[in-house]
């Protein structure tokens, strides 16, 4: 790849950047006035460290900038829309969008022995973050956003403030860089062009580049964030990976490793027990341990958490081998000089901390500057290079290879017999070009946050081995299928292969602390060439419920399961509700599908999940009355369930197509409260709310926007003589002229009219919302001069977007 063009390549040229102030070794005003503060003397804890683990260390480097207001990852880039969250959390609105960063930053150095503080670099309207000292101790790598611009890029500067050099450029953010011992740089970047699966903001995943910023290449295809990479002494990259494949979106952001070329991606610590965001991890000199910020729950802003020491020697799942050092969760950016000596930052300033959590304030910003905070303290000195791991990629290859030794070796595999697993269904997570909420709607009702694409299948041999060739740089996960294509086990994480990489795994969720078994030299799968993925040609790669599943239900189910007959108290019509359809709601309210729930665990028991555990499949096996679907129709529904049973097959459905019904709830409570009121508790407190046995507090499945008069909220209380179902203990509406009936019908007709005018993704002439269109224009998948009257095929646009992530050596 051609080296990127630089907008600023030297210290002298950089003074032209908008809003930039370069102050080589210029003391801050407070430090320049000797009467403004008492004479500096290191405190007792700092002095003890200067005499011990910090012996020979004079100065540290750190950044100051405006802290984020939102989640720990919202410190760059734009929000997706103009709703309340962006308006309340963003710092400004410019160029038609809200932005998640504040203005004002410095790169500083401080002498710990004398207290002398100097500004290396300052931009009152810009952003400075993530400094790392080069191995020679003479220059600093950092991320910088010049004032008046929106994008962070990688820069280097000499420690005396001279020689500012821009390394990367482009329309996307580059942050959190780390030097690698082979001369390359690994960093996080929003070049992946996707949004957080459960929030309004951009994702940054791992990339690498040459020392001069050239040859940028993706290392991780994560749908969500990778963060804070750092090199371990053995040469691997330690980083935080946030992931959720059909499990909770807020529990699994743990420590992983990879080689600097992206190969060998493997969990380091966590990923089984949720509830902590493990950020800013770095090695502790002289040990095999690392120090990290363990930010509680889903993580606090700016990575605030416990300073925690992690010992990986007992494997990734032993929570007893992580020890909290600090006494509270108000710490960030820990840097270890020993297991008893840490540099740390807090909202107050910079500190030193010992191994028992005792801490001492070393530096605090002057009062006028406290709209900013101190971040990322690093010792300013040379350091040895870590081990160089040879590159294992073949960038001309489009695929990588995976060897599975024995699929029957693993946790929760009891009862699965040798030869029972016949193949692996290969799926991939599909990134989101935009997102508009913290929930999964309208993709699922309480299930997956993402669409899954069907890649195909690969065989598993009778001895449990498999050898396969898989597409590079895709977030792949597997479903083990038996000879009848029933799912035995499912993967709740994802695998990324680099081009030309060959890697292996022992089994299915195997124990990572067991002594390695003797490796068979005669695996059946290794007697042949790797199996290419066999595509499934007769089913769409991304299944769309209204397009692909509903016609099967219309043909075989709706005659009996409709508002007119409602056999088995079930309705399979495709009529629209406020956000979904009647039949899609039926799948949930009647527990017909076992899909991916938003729960903080994975690795479930064999056959307990997916189509094997879905009651719907038993009604489609030919034994249920006259329902005789074809094999292809059964296959389509089975694969729909295995791909997380989503409602739309396009992300253009996000943020639009929802038409709430404004029912007269007060009069309904008065009229129906004696039977249909239960106490509802939520974050707003407790209140009485309508409750229906089949639907709970959910009113949406009872509302039919396509045919308002067929809504169960009307039919259930209506007398049979008037065309109703008369399901209540007593007739509520004797006829359709009842005033409350007319009020409720008017509310439903109003929602119907809004649906007709505004459309939904499965309706003719549907057009995605302005924010989806803007981002797809920015990413290059829609023309910049798109007119309001121009048709948009959202399925084709999504396919083009996803296809752009297919690794192609010609694009490198």
């Amino acid at each position: 790849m051609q080296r990127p063009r630089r907008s600023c390549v030297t210290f002298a040229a950089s003074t032209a950047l908008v809003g930039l102030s370069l102050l080589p070794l210029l003391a801050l005003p407070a430090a320049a006035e000797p009467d403004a503060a008492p004479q500096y003397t290191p405190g007792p804890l700092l002095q003890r460290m200067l005499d011990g683990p910090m012996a020979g260390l004079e100065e540290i480097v750190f950044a100051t900038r405006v802290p984020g207001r939102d989640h720990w990852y919202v410190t760059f880039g734009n929000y997706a829309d103009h709703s309340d969250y962006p308006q309340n959390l963003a710092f400004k609105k410019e160029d038609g969008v809200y932005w998640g960063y504040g203005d004002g930053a410095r790169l500083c150095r401080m002498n710990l022995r004398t207290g002398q503080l100097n500004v290396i670099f300052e931009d009152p309207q810009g952003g400075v973050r993530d400094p790392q000292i080069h191995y020679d101790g003479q220059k600093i790598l950092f991320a910088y956003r010049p004032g008046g611009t929106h994008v962070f890029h990688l820069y280097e500067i000499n420690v005396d403030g001279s020689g500012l050099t821009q390394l990367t450029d482009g329309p996307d953010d580059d942050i959190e860089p780390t030097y690698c011992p082979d001369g390359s740089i690994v960093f996080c970047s929003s070049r992946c062009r996707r949004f957080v699966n459960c929030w309004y903001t951009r994702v940054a995943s791992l990339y690498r580049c040459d020392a001069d910023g050239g040859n940028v290449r993706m290392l991780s295809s994560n749908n969500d964030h990778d963060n804070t990479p750092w090199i371990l002494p053995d040469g691997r990259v330690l980083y935080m990976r946030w992931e959720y494949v059909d499990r909770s979106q807020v529990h699994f952001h743990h420590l992983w490793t990879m080689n600097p070329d992206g190969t060998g991606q493997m969990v380091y610590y966590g990923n089984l027990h949720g509830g902590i965001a493990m950020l800013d991890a770095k090695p502790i000199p002289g040990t095999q341990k690392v120090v990290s910020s363990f930010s509680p729950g889903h993580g606090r802003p700016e990575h605030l958490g416990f300073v925690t020491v992690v010992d990986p020697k007992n494997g990734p799942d032993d929570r007893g081998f992580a020890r909290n050092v600090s006494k509270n969760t108000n710490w960030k950016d820990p840097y270890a000089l020993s297991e008893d000596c840490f540099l740390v930052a807090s909202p107050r300033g910079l500190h030193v901390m010992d191994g028992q959590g005792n801490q001492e304030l070393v530096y605090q910003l002057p009062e006028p500057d406290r709209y900013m905070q101190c971040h990322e303290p690093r010792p300013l000195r040379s350091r040895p290079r870590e081990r160089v791991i040879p590159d294992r990629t073949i960038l001309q290859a489009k695929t990588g290879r995976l060897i599975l030794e024995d699929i029957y070796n693993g946790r929760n595999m009891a009862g699965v017999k040798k030869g029972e697993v016949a193949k692996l269904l290969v799926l991939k997570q599909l990134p989101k070009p935009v997102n508009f909420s913290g929930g999964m709607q309208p993709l699922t009702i309480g299930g997956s946050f993402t669409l899954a694409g069907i890649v195909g299948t690969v065989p598993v041999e009778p001895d449990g081995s498999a050898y396969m060739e898989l597409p590079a740089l895709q977030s792949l996960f597997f479903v083990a299928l038996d000879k009848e294509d029933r799912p035995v086990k499912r993967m709740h994480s994802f695998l990324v292969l680099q081009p030309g990489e060959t890697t292996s795994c022992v089994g299915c969720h195997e124990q990572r602390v067991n002594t390695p078994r003797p490796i068979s030299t005669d695996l059946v799968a290794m007697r042949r060439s790797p199996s290419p993925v066999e595509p499934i040609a007769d089913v769409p790669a991304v299944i769309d419920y209204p397009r692909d599943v509903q016609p099967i239900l219309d043909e075989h189910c709706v005659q009996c399961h409709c508002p007119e007959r409602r056999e088995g108290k079930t309705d399979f019509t495709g009529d629209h509700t406020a956000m979904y359809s009647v039949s899609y709601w039926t799948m949930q309210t009647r527990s017909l599908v076992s899909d991916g729930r938003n729960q903080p665990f994975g690795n479930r028991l064999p056959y307990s999940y997916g189509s094997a555990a879905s009651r719907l499949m038993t009604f489609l096996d030919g034994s249920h009355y006259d329902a005789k679907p074809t094999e292809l129709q059964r296959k389509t529904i089975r694969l729909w369930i295995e791909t997380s049973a989503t409602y739309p097959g396009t992300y253009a459905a996000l943020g639009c197509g929802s038409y709430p019904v404004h029912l007269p709830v007060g009069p309904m409570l008065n009229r129906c409260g004696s039977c249909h009121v239960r106490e509802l508790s939520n974050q707003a407190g407790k209140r009485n709310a309508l409750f229906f046995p089949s639907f709970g507090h959910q009113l949406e499945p009872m509302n039919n926007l396509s045919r308002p008069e067929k809504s169960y909220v009307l039919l259930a209380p209506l007398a049979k003589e008037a065309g109703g179902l008369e399901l209540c203990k007593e007739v509520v509406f004797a006829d359709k002229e009842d005033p409350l009936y007319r009020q409720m019908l008017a509310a439903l007709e109003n929602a119907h009219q809004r649906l007709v005018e505004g459309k939904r993704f499965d309706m003719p002439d549907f057009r995605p919302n302005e924010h989806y269109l803007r981002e797809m224009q920015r990413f290059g998948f829609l023309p910049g001069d798109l007119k309001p009257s121009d048709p948009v095929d959202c399925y084709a646009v999504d396919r083009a977007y996803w296809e752009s992530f297919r690794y192609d050596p010609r694009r490198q």
Side-chain angles (χ1 to χ4, degrees), residues 169-183:
D169 61 6
D172 304 301
D173 290 276
D174 301 325
I175 59 172
E176 298 178 348
T178 186
Y179 285 116
C180 298
D182 64 357

Side-chain angles (χ1 to χ4, degrees), residues 787-804:
K787 298 180 178 61
S789 59
D790 290 344
V792 176
D793 183 343
C794 56
Y795 294 94
V797 175
D798 270 7
R799 284 195 301 271
Y801 167 73
W802 295 324
E803 190 67 21
S804 73

Side-chain angles (χ1 to χ4, degrees), residues 17-21 63-67 75-76 92 101-107 121-131 142-155 164 173-175 371-372 375-376:
L17 291 172
V18 177
L20 178 64
S21 173
T64 69
R65 63 178 177 275
V66 177
T75 53
F76 68 93
K92 58 185 176 183
Y101 61 80
D103 292 333
R106 298 188 184 108
L107 182 62
F121 179 84
E122 180 177 22
D123 187 339
Q125 300 302 316
V128 171
R129 53 179 297 165
D130 317 316
F142 64 106
Y144 169 48
R145 178 187 57 77
T149 69
H150 297 302
V151 178
F152 283 92
H153 288 126
L154 304 187
Y155 285 73
L164 181 69
D173 290 276
D174 301 325
I175 59 172
Y371 65 95
M372 298 190 289
H375 304 261
E376 299 115 11

Side-chain angles (χ1 to χ4, degrees), residues 541-799:
V542 182
I543 298 177
D544 183 272
Y545 182 87
R547 181 192 66 201
D548 303 317
V549 176
Q550 187 62 49
I552 302 172
L553 304 178
D554 291 341
E555 181 179 348
H556 298 286
C557 308
V558 168
Q559 182 178 355
C560 299
H561 302 289
C562 59
E564 292 75 19
R565 296 181 61 177
R566 198 169 174 264
E567 299 288 344
K569 300 180 181 180
T570 301
D571 188 342
F572 279 124
T573 57
D575 293 348
H576 291 109
T577 61
M579 186 175 289
Y580 301 96
S581 70
V582 171
S583 66
Y584 191 79
W585 265 109
T586 297
M587 298 294 176
Q588 300 301 324
T589 59
R590 304 297 291 173
S591 301
L592 294 173
V593 169
S594 175
D595 65 346
R597 298 288 88 193
N598 185 29
Q599 295 174 333
F601 59 86
N603 191 18
R604 308 185 188 199
L605 292 171
Y607 294 106
S608 66
Y609 184 76
S611 65
S614 295
R615 292 198 305 134
L616 178 64
M617 298 306 297
T618 65
F619 295 116
L620 299 175
D621 63 4
S623 64
H624 184 69
Y625 298 100
D626 294 326
K628 310 289 184 184
T630 67
E631 283 302 310
L632 177 59
Q633 289 174 328
R634 280 177 47 81
K635 180 180 180 180
T636 299
I637 291 182
R638 175 177 60 79
L639 288 171
W640 167 69
I641 297 172
E642 313 309 7
T643 53
S644 305
T646 54
Y647 178 52
T650 170
Y651 286 134
L654 300 172
C656 58
S658 177
Y659 303 96
V661 181
H662 305 298
L663 290 167
V665 175
M668 291 171 66
L669 283 169
N670 292 334
R671 190 82 166 266
C672 307
S674 60
C675 297
H676 294 291
V677 168
R678 298 283 190 281
E679 187 176 78
L680 175 65
S681 297
N682 55 29
Q683 292 180 341
K686 296 180 179 180
R687 62 183 177 86
N688 287 334
L690 289 166
F691 180 89
F692 300 91
S694 297
F695 307 110
H697 291 290
Q698 288 284 355
L699 289 178
E700 180 179 341
M702 302 181 67
N703 298 328
N704 189 322
L705 271 59
S706 298
R707 296 179 292 168
E709 71 283 358
K710 297 297 183 181
S711 297
Y712 289 106
V713 74
L714 296 178
L715 293 175
L718 182 64
K720 288 183 179 179
E721 291 81 0
L725 295 173
E726 200 173 317
L727 297 179
C728 296
K729 292 180 181 179
E730 298 179 358
V731 172
V732 178
F733 301 138
D735 55 48
K736 296 180 181 179
E737 298 305 314
D738 187 287
L740 181 55
Y741 178 97
R742 302 303 303 176
Q743 275 186 278
M744 293 164 64
L745 178 61
L748 288 157
E749 289 176 336
N750 174 270
H752 164 79
Q753 189 59 39
R754 285 183 279 126
L755 170 66
V756 169
E757 294 173 358
K759 311 295 181 186
R760 189 173 290 172
F761 69 94
D762 59 335
M763 298 170 67
D765 301 322
F766 166 75
R767 188 178 180 84
N769 72 23
E770 62 177 303
H771 308 293
Y772 173 94
L773 297 177
R774 180 195 65 240
E775 296 301 324
M776 283 301 200
Q777 286 176 305
R778 180 156 64 137
F779 296 159
F781 300 102
L782 283 172
D785 59 353
L786 185 73
K787 298 180 178 61
S789 59
D790 290 344
V792 176
D793 183 343
C794 56
Y795 294 94
V797 175
D798 270 7
R799 284 195 301 271

Side-chain angles (χ1 to χ4, degrees), residues 54 131-133 230 280 282-285 291-292 307 332-338 341-345 351 353 376-381 383:
M54 290 184 175
Q132 193 187 63
I133 312 303
W230 202 273
D280 297 305
K282 304 173 191 69
I284 299 176
V291 64
S292 176
V307 175
K332 59 185 176 179
D333 306 322
Y335 190 105
L337 291 98
S338 77
C341 177
F342 304 96
L343 291 168
V344 294
H351 308 249
M353 182 179 291
E376 299 115 11
R378 320 285 198 224
L380 179 54
R381 64 182 180 186
R383 55 194 174 94

